[in-house]
């Protein structure tokens, strides 16, 4: 029953926390290198904020799971709340940065939304003890890293084209 044995996930989540922290730093560097270009186009500033939020969210949920002595129910509630907050903030940033002249690829928006949704599902699933548990968390963290790297590429390289 690995999906519900929190101790079985410490290795994966330790690595995920390190990766998320590193990528958060990369996004800060990408934004600082191209700050004037990012600020010229307001939707990119929101996308940068969304990217940092993605990585920070992955870091926070990974660290929450690594806290010792939590019950499955408590951790499930923590993950569900974190996933919900992340989803709301991402949705607000995406709505605010919507631009008809330079539309963002729908796959980018969908993956971002999906990453937050999987964290919410992970929390609910863990709390009720069915439907996959922490496997949803793994999917959410992997999607968050994927979206974060994609956005970092846009902020570091594509912005210069």
């Amino acid at each position: 029953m690995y999906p519900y044995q929190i101790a079985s996930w410490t290795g994966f989540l330790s690595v995920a926390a390190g990766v998320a922290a590193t990528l958060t730093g990369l996004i800060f560097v990408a934004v600082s290198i191209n700050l004037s270009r990012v600020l010229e186009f307001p939707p990119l500033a929101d996308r940068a904020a969304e990217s940092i939020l993605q990585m920070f969210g992955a870091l926070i949920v990974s660290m929450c799971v690594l806290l010792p002595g939590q019950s499955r129910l408590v951790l499930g509630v923590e993950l569900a709340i974190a996933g919900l907050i992340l989803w709301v903030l991402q949705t607000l940033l995406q709505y605010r940065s919507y631009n008809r002249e330079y539309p963002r690829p729908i796959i980018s928006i969908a993956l971002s939304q999906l990453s937050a949704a999987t964290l919410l599902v992970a929390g609910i699933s863990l709390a009720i003890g069915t439907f996959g548990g922490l496997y949803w968390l793994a999917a959410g963290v992997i999607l968050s890293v994927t979206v974060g790297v994609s956005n970092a590429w846009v902020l570091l390289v594509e912005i210069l084209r």
Side-chain angles (χ1 to χ4, degrees), residues 9-21 23 51 53-66 79 82-83 86 90 111-123 133-150:
W9 291 84
T10 58
F12 171 78
L13 292 167
S14 294
V15 170
V19 167
L23 289 173
S51 300
L53 185 63
Q54 281 281 349
M55 293 298 94
F56 191 65
L59 176 63
I60 293 299
V61 297
S62 296
M63 290 172 56
C64 284
V65 177
L66 292 171
L79 294 176
L86 183 62
Q90 284 178 303
L111 287 176
S112 178
Q113 292 287 313
L114 187 59
S115 69
T118 56
L119 298 178
L120 177 60
V121 171
L134 292 174
Y135 284 113
W136 286 101
L137 179 66
V141 168
I142 290 168
L143 282 170
S144 289
V145 168
T146 302
V147 171
V149 168
S150 170

